[in-house]
């Protein structure tokens, strides 16, 4: 069972081909990393996969249900999410709590279990003490951490993370990768993560998808390395 | 209290109180979504709807509603086309709406200039009981929608891509929000006027965002400020014999300045 399945995806920005015949899949229990040089259309590939962009051709499928047959839940951290609208009037706690809404809580009261998830998520990124701060008052690194806390609060079946460790020191990155690997291996979560951190992460990731430039193309077009 | 002995004042106070809740409830989302000019745009477009109604001799409220709802949908489409510089869509519709209104008004010259002026500047004291009732229905509808959709709207307002990944129908929610804003503007325009309706939507929200820390608190404070500004502006306009819409807007601007100055002083002391 694939949580993500992409076959022969081709994408153009205007007339210019950017991705050509890209195929990949992500399964439950797997920690997959996606790498490539700067401008290798890694985020474009993810945005196509999630339906935020429309490909010129190719088949994209995201599983409707998880392994238990329940509705599949997804957590996505876009690139530079930490540069969100600084004026957004919300406390840290409110934002992280909103991570529980996709777990069937759009129209229901949050339960004790939901609140426990939120507290655990905030503590796991070291932001529990800052829970009543307004998010606009946080530093870039702190904003990054509360976005991660939101995704941990959701506790999704599928994590899609676009360079989530930007601004993290080496130690925190290691802890974060260990946490992701634990989620994949112990809880059957599927994780797809864009990263530049090739060396550090090798020991944690199960699979490596690499986008490389097509040499026979006149455009700056990328495909998967063989 | 002598004011309350006049029926027109009772109607005005009631409608001001209703608008004080309706306008900021939408306004907070407009400001946070960086769509403050949306209200302005739709109010300019509504002039085209009013001019059309007067031109074809049909109820201007109905024609305005049709034109504004249609524009709200177009606006969302343009916002997506011009994703990186979305204010272009606002500029296109605002100038287009005003241009159509002027052409139609010119073609209809001499027939209904007084009525167009009434929609341009609004008049809270000439409001009818029917209009108060429509405002009341809109108020109830918006409160119900707000209570139902507060959480999805919170996530949508925070980040549209996150909302998409959370499984929310981002495009339809945005269109629905624009349409509801359009409907609210159409209902409020004869009272507040096309030129000032966006001010009463945006200013209480902008003030409350300077004060409130959490999202819920910002909504509650904006409604409180809406009530203070609308009612004190209305009473002042009665006392000073000034246009009600303009007086209300000036009261909001004064509150905004006072809050800003107060915060600066407090920050300096800290």
């Amino acid at each position: 069972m694939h949580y993500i399945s992409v076959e022969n995806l081709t994408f153009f920005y205007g007339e210019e081909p950017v991705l050509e015949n890209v195929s990949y899949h992500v399964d439950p229990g797997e920690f997959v990393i996606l790498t490539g040089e700067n401008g290798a259309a890694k985020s474009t590939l993810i945005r196509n996969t999630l339906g935020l962009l429309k490909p010129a051709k190719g088949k994209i499928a995201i599983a409707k249900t998880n392994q238990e047959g329940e509705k599949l839940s997804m957590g996505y951290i876009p690139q530079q999410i930490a540069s969100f609208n600084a004026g957004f009037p919300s406390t840290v706690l409110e934002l992280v709590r909103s991570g529980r809404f996709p777990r069937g809580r759009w129209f229901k009261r949050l339960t004790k279990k939901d609140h426990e998830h939120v507290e655990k998520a905030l503590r796991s990124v070291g932001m529990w003490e800052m829970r009543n701060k307004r998010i606009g008052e946080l530093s870039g690194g702190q904003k990054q951490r509360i976005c991660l806390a939101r995704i941990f609060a959701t506790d999704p079946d599928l994590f899609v993370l676009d360079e989530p460790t930007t601004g993290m020191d080496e130690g925190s990155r290691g802890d974060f990768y260990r946490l992701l690997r634990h989620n994949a291996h112990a809880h059957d979560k599927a994780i797809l993560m864009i990263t530049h951190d090739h060396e550090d992460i090798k020991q944690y990731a199960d699979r490596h998808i690499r986008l490389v430039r097509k040499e026979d193309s006149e455009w700056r077009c990328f495909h998967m390395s063989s | 209290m002598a004011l309350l002995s006049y029926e027109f004042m009772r109607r005005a106070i009631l409608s001001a109180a209703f608008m004080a809740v309706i306008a900021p409830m939408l306004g907070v989302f407009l400001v946070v979504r960086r769509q403050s000019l949306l209200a302005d745009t739709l109010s300019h477009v509504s002039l085209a709807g009013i001019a059309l109604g007067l031109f074809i001799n049909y109820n201007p409220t109905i024609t305005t509603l049709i034109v504004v709802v249609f524009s709200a949908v177009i606006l969302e489409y343009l916002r997506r086309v011009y994703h990186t510089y979305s204010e272009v869509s606002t500029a296109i519709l605002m100038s287009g709406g005003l241009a159509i209104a002027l052409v139609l008004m010119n073609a209809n010259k001499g027939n209904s200039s007084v009525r167009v002026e009434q929609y341009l500047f609004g008049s809270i004291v000439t409001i009818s009981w029917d209009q108060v009732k429509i405002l009341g229905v809109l108020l109830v509808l918006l409160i119900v929608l707000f209570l139902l959709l507060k959480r999805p709207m919170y996530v949508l307002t925070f980040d549209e891509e996150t909302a998409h990944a959370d499984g929310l129908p981002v495009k339809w929610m945005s269109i629905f929000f624009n349409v509801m804003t359009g409907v609210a503007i159409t209902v409020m325009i004869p009272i507040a006027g096309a030129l000032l309706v966006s001010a009463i939507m945006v200013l209480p929200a902008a003030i409350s965002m300077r004060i409130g820390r959490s999202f819920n608190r910002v909504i509650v404070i904006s409604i409180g400020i809406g009530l203070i500004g609308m009612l004190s502006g209305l009473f002042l306009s009665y006392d000073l014999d000034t246009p009600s819409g303009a007086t209300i807007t000036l009261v909001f601007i004064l509150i905004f300045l006072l809050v800003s100055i107060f915060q600066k002083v407090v920050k300096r002391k800290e």
Side-chain angles (χ1 to χ4, degrees), chain B residues 176-205:
Chain B
F176 184 62
F177 174 72
N178 286 4
V179 167
M180 285 316 296
T181 307
V183 170
I185 286 172
T186 306
V187 173
M188 289 192 293
I189 268 187
I191 308 152
L195 297 175
L196 297 172
V197 75
S198 66
I200 63 168
M201 292 184 99
V202 169
L203 284 170

Side-chain angles (χ1 to χ4, degrees), chain A residues 137-158:
Chain A
E137 295 168 356
L138 304 177
S139 70
Q142 289 170 330
K143 284 177 183 167
Q144 189 83 22
R145 280 195 275 164
I146 58 162
C147 291
L148 292 172
R150 185 183 186 274
I151 212 170
F152 286 130
T154 304
D155 191 24
D157 302 303
L158 170 63

Side-chain angles (χ1 to χ4, degrees), chain A residues 47 50 90 105 108 134, chain B residues 151 154 161 164 166 212 215:
Chain A
R47 288 163 58 79
L50 297 180
S90 170
R105 297 285 179 268
K108 286 184 189 163
R134 200 174 157 144
Chain B
R151 287 177 176 178
Y154 170 91
E161 292 191 356
H164 175 88
D166 282 357
F215 198 74

Side-chain angles (χ1 to χ4, degrees), chain A residues 78-168:
Chain A
Q79 194 178 25
Q80 291 161 349
I81 181 77
S83 59
F84 55 66
N85 182 358
F88 188 71
S90 170
T91 60
V92 168
L93 194 58
E94 268 181 323
L95 183 73
V96 178
R97 267 184 194 156
S98 76
R100 294 302 293 171
F101 300 162
R103 306 291 302 197
R105 297 285 179 268
W106 290 114
F107 308 108
K108 286 184 189 163
R109 285 179 79 90
L110 295 185
T111 61
K112 198 178 162 211
K113 194 180 149 203
D114 291 317
H115 290 295
E116 282 168 6
H117 262 288
V118 170
E119 181 174 345
K120 200 174 146 195
L122 272 167
R123 288 194 189 281
S124 74
V125 297
M127 290 294 288
W128 176 246
E129 284 71 27
M130 310 280 260
R131 63 190 178 279
N132 293 320
K133 275 225 164 215
R134 200 174 157 144
I135 58 175
E137 295 168 356
L138 304 177
S139 70
Q142 289 170 330
K143 284 177 183 167
Q144 189 83 22
R145 280 195 275 164
I146 58 162
C147 291
L148 292 172
R150 185 183 186 274
I151 212 170
F152 286 130
T154 304
D155 191 24
D157 302 303
L158 170 63
F159 290 72
V160 181
L161 313 169
D162 193 344
E163 296 189 37
T165 53
T166 309
M168 266 190 209

